Amino acid sequence: MSLLGNNYKKLGFDILKDQKIISFENQFEGYKSWNFSTENHKYNLHIEDDGCGCNDSNAYINYIQGLDKILNQEIIEVDEGSDSYGANITLKTRENECFIVITHDQNGYYGFSYELFEY
């Protein structure tokens, strides 16, 4: 899926506040993309290795934990943090939390990026 077309809008994870995730595609360790839906929108988490295309770094979804516990529950808080080694995203409901961990195995020269798109 090309994310460069006009049908995609780059967002921060804060957009998920007051929404409920109702469905998702299975994600597997090592993937660079993950799709999920709320009641009114579809989203794609997309991960890119930055650099000239010749780097040996690798950014990927390490794991998503607790997603089944927050399904159909309103997200009330989002915490997001990242550094050169990856990112941690926490989606909180009144009762549960979901942890999304992105890992960046890097060589010290090139970074990575992750973006949330609505489509």
Side-chain angles (χ1 to χ4, degrees), residues 5 53 58 67 82 90 96 104-105 107 112:
N58 184 29
L67 181 59
S82 67
T90 304
N96 296 299
H104 180 222
D105 298 328
N107 58 12
F112 80 104

Side-chain angles (χ1 to χ4, degrees), residues 68-100:
D68 56 331
K69 294 179 181 179
I70 69 163
L71 279 180
N72 298 307
Q73 295 181 25
E74 183 178 317
I75 296 169
I76 60 170
E77 187 177 339
V78 175
D79 291 325
E80 214 175 329
S82 67
D83 60 23
S84 63
Y85 294 98
N88 295 305
I89 302 151
T90 304
L91 307 176
K92 298 178 182 181
T93 67
R94 293 200 192 295
E95 299 175 10
N96 296 299
E97 296 179 334
C98 171
F99 303 98
I100 302 168

